[in-house]
Amino acid sequence: MDNFFERLDAALGSLVGFLWGPPLVTLLVGGGLFFLLYSRLLPYRHLPDGVRLLFRPADSKDEGTLSHFQALSTALSGTLGMGNVAGVAVAISVGGPGAIFWMWVSALLGIATKFYTCTLAVMYRGRDSEGELQGGPMYIIREALGPRWRPLAYFFALAGLLGTMPIFQVNQLTEIIREAIAVPAGWTGADDHFLFDLLFGLLLAAVVLAVVAGKLPRIGRVTGILVPAMVAGYMLLTAVVLVLHADQVWPALTLIVRDAFTGEAAAGGVLGAVIITGIRRAAFSNEAGIGTEAMAHGAARTREPVREGMVAMLGPIIDTLIVCTCTALVILISGAWSDGDTNGVSLTVNAFNILFLDYSGVILALLVGVLSLSTVFTFWYYGSKCLGFLIGARHQHHYVWFYLVLVVLGAVGSLSIVIKVIDSMYALMALPTMVASLRLAPRVNQAARAYFARSRDDD
């Protein structure tokens, strides 16, 4: 059995290396740069408008399910959490500190990418087989590009069905609860913990079932409360740590920039590996260009697609430029990253324990645990919508049982295999999302000009 998992891990590693090669990195980074220049820096120029729209009440006459704030919270709940805590740790472990710099680059360009993809998600919403209004890359492709492009829509839905599995979040949530709480309390052993992982996975499955039974409106309400509160708590914890070690923040930032162009701390000292690792982990962190965020923003209650695009572009700023950077600074200042003994969320927990208090890992476990649960709730929504597109919306409720099995498997699975499965699917989702968005970019510009002209007339 061990040989099987070793072969599977090696095969998935080869697949990830192929999918996340220069062509895909060029598509994501080059596509983001194209969007930024093609829009004449519109996303940057209208960032304050995006913030104001967050607190604008939705018109009850508009079609959709979520307010602007709930849509952003739901989209962020799919990224904030393990992507910012475990994902950053993985980026530093594999690509060295320089990988964080390339995460920044990806996020800065991802602001423009999200503006385009999420504007399109509202512009080209479509009806599912039950007549419900839906958004997302599969509907963008179906509604805007016509029958010849339909296979690309099904391609995205299939990749999205597999890419939104909760296995990474559950795997790392189980690990942080086990290492920070269960092992110190004597509930399980550091080496023999399969039974604890299994029981915890079953408990998580029960919680997920209770929340997703209320479908998207309940998820929107839950994430609208949990995400801002837990992000504030996590930022407060990291702020305390960084203030206590303020003299080491600038050297850590310098290390990030220097290593970004040398790759000295990466495996093999290969600069290309640093860049690809940073772009890959940024995609997992903020999902710009992947397409999942478009499904959440496509459910916004608005008649103005450009408004939702402006709200969506705040995601990479909050997610990667702020939260991921704070996590990276804590890890680098602690020095825990250089011993190579830990990876994923355990590395982040060790870093906080070194710099702050021994029980700070417990606080981190509670904060990240709640954020991870919100991600798991949101990923169920994404996966069910992909399944509904593939086989009909009347059957999508069956997805919940498959999803609950995945929750349990994620709790007992291998981190290495889990990461490679998700990375592979994210790469496949990005292809149709970016191709369709680049093809439809002129229509977004046209809609933006019309929207801002109406806004000036209203003023």
Side-chain angles (χ1 to χ4, degrees):
M1 185 61 73
D2 289 341
N3 288 335
F4 169 77
F5 285 115
E6 289 175 2
R7 290 196 298 271
L8 177 61
D9 189 54
L12 288 172
S14 299
L15 178 62
V16 170
F18 171 75
L19 293 174
W20 280 97
L24 180 61
V25 171
T26 301
L27 180 64
L28 286 170
V29 176
L33 182 60
F34 169 79
F35 289 138
L36 190 60
L37 298 177
Y38 190 58
S39 66
R40 298 180 182 179
L41 308 184
L42 183 150
Y44 290 168
R45 290 188 284 114
H46 289 280
L47 280 174
D49 294 326
V51 176
R52 283 193 292 269
L53 285 169
L54 273 180
F55 305 100
R56 177 175 179 150
D59 190 332
S60 59
K61 298 178 182 177
D62 289 345
E63 289 189 297
T65 306
L66 305 175
S67 67
H68 289 306
F69 184 81
Q70 288 176 331
L72 181 63
S73 294
T74 301
L76 284 174
S77 72
T79 56
L80 287 170
M82 287 305 170
N84 308 97
V85 179
V88 171
V90 170
I92 293 174
S93 299
V94 176
I100 305 302
F101 177 87
W102 297 107
M103 289 182 71
W104 293 342
V105 171
S106 180
L108 288 169
L109 298 176
I111 293 170
T113 301
K114 282 222 176 183
F115 173 74
Y116 277 82
T117 58
C118 295
T119 298
L120 288 168
V122 178
M123 285 178 67
Y124 295 106
R125 289 193 276 206
R127 304 281 176 181
D128 62 23
S129 60
E130 295 290 279
E132 294 291 327
L133 197 64
Q134 306 289 352
M138 57 280 207
Y139 290 99
I140 295 171
I141 295 168
R142 189 188 74 180
E143 301 296 320
L145 296 177
R148 288 190 304 168
W149 292 74
R150 188 71 63 87
L152 200 62
Y154 286 108
F155 181 88
F156 173 85
L158 182 59
L161 181 64
L162 300 175
T164 56
M165 293 186 293
I167 50 178
F168 177 77
Q169 287 74 19
V170 171
N171 180 278
Q172 292 294 275
L173 175 56
T174 304
E175 182 175 328
I176 193 172
I177 295 297
R178 183 181 68 238
E179 298 300 324
I181 299 176
V183 172
W187 299 344
T188 187
D191 298 319
D192 184 17
H193 46 71
F194 177 81
L195 181 59
F196 173 83
D197 294 353
L198 178 61
L199 292 175
F200 188 71
L202 292 171
L203 176 62
L204 286 179
V207 173
V208 171
L209 180 61
V211 173
V212 303
K215 300 185 179 179
L216 183 59
R218 182 179 295 177
I219 293 174
R221 289 193 298 270
V222 170
T223 57
I225 297 171
L226 291 183
V227 171
M230 293 304 103
V231 169
Y234 181 72
M235 294 305 297
L236 179 61
L237 180 63
T238 55
V240 171
V241 173
L242 294 178
V243 167
L244 291 175
H245 301 83
D247 60 316
Q248 300 177 57
V249 170
W250 181 251
L253 291 171
T254 303
L255 175 62
I256 289 172
V257 175
R258 183 176 68 248
D259 191 63
F261 298 96
T262 62
E264 292 175 359
V270 180
L271 179 58
V274 180
I275 297 173
I276 290 176
T277 298
I279 301 301
R280 188 191 307 169
R281 296 276 65 84
F284 187 74
S285 169
N286 59 56
E287 297 181 1
I290 303 302
T292 50
E293 77 287 349
M295 287 190 272
H297 287 285
R301 193 161 59 246
T302 181
R303 70 171 69 92
E304 293 285 3
V306 175
R307 285 181 186 166
E308 195 56 34
M310 288 193 290
V311 169
M313 67 191 186
L314 300 174
I317 298 173
I318 299 169
D319 183 279
T320 304
L321 296 180
I322 297 176
V323 181
C324 285
T325 299
C326 289
T327 302
L329 289 174
V330 170
I331 292 173
L332 294 177
I333 290 172
S334 73
W337 65 279
S338 58
D339 59 26
D341 293 334
T342 54
N343 194 359
V345 73
S346 294
L347 172 57
T348 309
V349 171
N350 287 348
F352 273 96
N353 286 337
I354 291 170
L355 294 179
F356 195 32
L357 301 168
D358 287 340
Y359 57 81
S360 61
V362 177
I363 302 173
L364 181 65
L366 295 175
L367 293 173
V368 176
V370 175
L371 283 173
S372 297
L373 276 177
S374 66
T375 304
V376 173
F377 301 151
T378 302
F379 274 18
W380 166 82
Y381 170 73
Y382 294 158
S384 66
K385 293 307 171 186
C386 289
L387 182 64
F389 186 85
L390 289 170
I391 66 173
R394 67 184 181 277
H395 300 299
Q396 69 187 26
H397 65 280
H398 295 304
Y399 178 67
V400 68
W401 306 114
F402 173 66
Y403 196 75
L404 296 178
V405 172
L406 291 175
V407 170
V408 177
L409 291 177
V412 299
S414 160
L415 173 61
S416 177
I417 291 176
V418 164
I419 289 176
K420 288 168 184 172
V421 169
I422 299 301
D423 280 346
S424 300
M425 293 303 106
Y426 268 48
L428 296 178
M429 285 191 290
L431 293 173
T433 300
M434 290 299 293
V435 168
S437 298
L438 289 167
R439 174 70 176 79
L440 296 168
R443 303 190 198 181
V444 175
N445 279 15
Q446 184 179 4
R449 286 193 295 269
Y451 170 76
F452 290 115
R454 287 195 302 272
S455 299
R456 286 192 297 269
D457 293 340
D458 292 340
D459 294 339

